[in-house]
Amino acid sequence: MIKKTLFSFILLSVLVNASTARALSCSNVFDDLWVASTRVEKNKFVTSRELWEYESSLHPDFKVRLKNLKSDQHWIDLGAGKANAQIDYLKSLPNERDGAQATAVCYKLDRWFSPPKFSGKLEIKEGLFESMPTEKWQKADLITDVFGVLSYSRDMHTSLSKTFDLLKKGGELYIHMTNYSTHFKGKAQSLTLEHFLRSIPGIQVEGRFGDLKVTKMQDTIVIPPFKVDTYKDDAPPVRTYILEAE
């Protein structure tokens, strides 16, 4: 009788712990959704940056790269807000059909009406970038992030991995973000995003601090493993990650 009772207690404990583990796993997703939706409600995102602001904030080569995009190429903007920059780009062309395909990634489209479609050249992707089925997207020749996904993501490893998977070999990623808000800690050093990216084989990093130009030099980029150490929600958040390989 005692053995039977003990077995029942152990079985119940295992089931409870398994249920708790599943709940904790799901809670991470819901936490990210809650943080993002709360920030949108508080209007902490800047959602109306125009193309001229991109040209003045990003590495100087961005303007030339954008101008030289062909109609069969692809520009993805991470954290695009109202997609104003891409709308400005398509409006500036004599014929919108000659423009590159433009994909605007935003958590929630901050508009009371739908933006123009520009003959199918502009597509809006709403939601958490980390959860989007990006493996089905057209590969990008150009990706921009102006205080976007890479500034706000809690799951930075997934965000970087998906970004480089989307980028073609020879494609360019332009990042504008604060240099102090994101750090990667190893046993011997603490790296900013700039220096962390410089340490990854297969990519070339130009510029400094808030105006990085990152070129994908090989087909496959492997992001070294790291995990969240601290995440202080702000606009943008202050994040530290622990490098697991060290």
Side-chain angles (χ1 to χ4, degrees):
M1 181 67 181
I2 294 176
K3 290 183 178 179
K4 186 175 181 181
T5 303
L6 180 59
F7 175 78
S8 298
F9 175 76
I10 292 172
L11 180 60
L12 179 61
S13 297
V14 170
L15 291 174
V16 169
N17 288 335
S19 177
T20 302
R22 287 194 298 270
L24 288 173
S25 177
C26 291
S27 72
N28 292 335
V29 176
F30 288 121
D31 284 348
D32 288 349
L33 285 169
W34 182 85
V35 168
S37 61
T38 300
R39 190 179 296 113
V40 168
E41 289 173 5
K42 292 180 179 179
N43 198 29
K44 284 190 175 182
F45 288 125
V46 175
T47 59
S48 56
R49 290 190 177 91
E50 314 293 335
L51 181 58
W52 69 265
E53 295 178 84
Y54 277 47
E55 293 174 344
S56 62
S57 299
L58 294 170
H59 187 281
D61 288 353
F62 163 71
K63 189 173 182 179
V64 176
R65 181 69 173 192
L66 182 62
K67 182 180 180 181
N68 291 332
L69 285 180
K70 307 300 182 184
S71 60
D72 61 345
Q73 294 183 308
H74 189 199
W75 170 22
I76 297 175
D77 190 19
L78 300 178
K82 296 179 180 180
N84 285 5
Q86 292 184 320
I87 289 172
D88 288 347
Y89 160 69
L90 291 168
K91 281 184 174 180
S92 72
L93 302 172
N95 187 340
E96 61 194 33
R97 295 180 184 274
D98 294 333
Q101 183 68 33
T103 298
V105 176
C106 55
Y107 172 71
K108 183 178 180 181
L109 190 63
D110 187 17
R111 286 177 176 270
W112 60 270
F113 63 95
S114 296
K117 296 296 189 294
F118 294 101
S119 303
K121 284 292 185 177
L122 177 63
E123 186 173 7
I124 308 295
K125 301 284 191 180
E126 292 185 80
L128 285 175
F129 176 66
E130 297 89 338
S131 303
M132 293 179 178
T134 52
E135 66 277 0
K136 300 178 182 179
W137 295 10
Q138 176 187 341
K139 298 298 183 181
D141 303 88
L142 171 65
I143 299 179
T144 51
D145 188 301
V146 179
F147 288 120
V149 169
L150 298 182
S151 284
Y152 283 87
S153 176
R154 183 191 299 265
D155 187 359
M156 186 68 153
H157 192 275
T158 296
S159 296
L160 285 173
S161 297
K162 289 168 77 74
T163 298
F164 283 108
D165 285 347
L166 276 170
L167 198 61
K168 291 180 182 177
K169 180 181 177 181
E172 295 172 356
L173 164 65
Y174 290 85
I175 306 170
H176 182 74
M177 65 186 295
T178 59
N179 195 49
Y180 65 82
S181 61
T182 304
H183 286 86
F184 300 83
K185 298 195 301 185
K187 293 181 179 179
Q189 59 183 335
S190 178
L191 304 175
T192 63
L193 178 63
E194 174 197 343
H195 293 99
F196 175 69
L197 291 175
R198 290 184 187 277
S199 72
I200 298 174
I203 60 177
Q204 176 181 304
V205 180
E206 301 173 63
R208 296 186 64 208
F209 305 135
D211 61 347
L212 297 180
K213 171 188 174 184
V214 185
T215 306
K216 185 176 179 179
M217 306 299 291
Q218 62 187 38
D219 290 325
T220 302
I221 304 298
V222 178
I223 306 299
F226 57 85
K227 61 183 179 181
V228 177
D229 182 31
T230 61
Y231 185 98
K232 181 182 178 182
D233 187 34
D234 206 340
V238 177
R239 307 164 296 178
T240 59
Y241 298 96
I242 301 295
L243 295 170
E244 296 182 348
E246 296 195 12

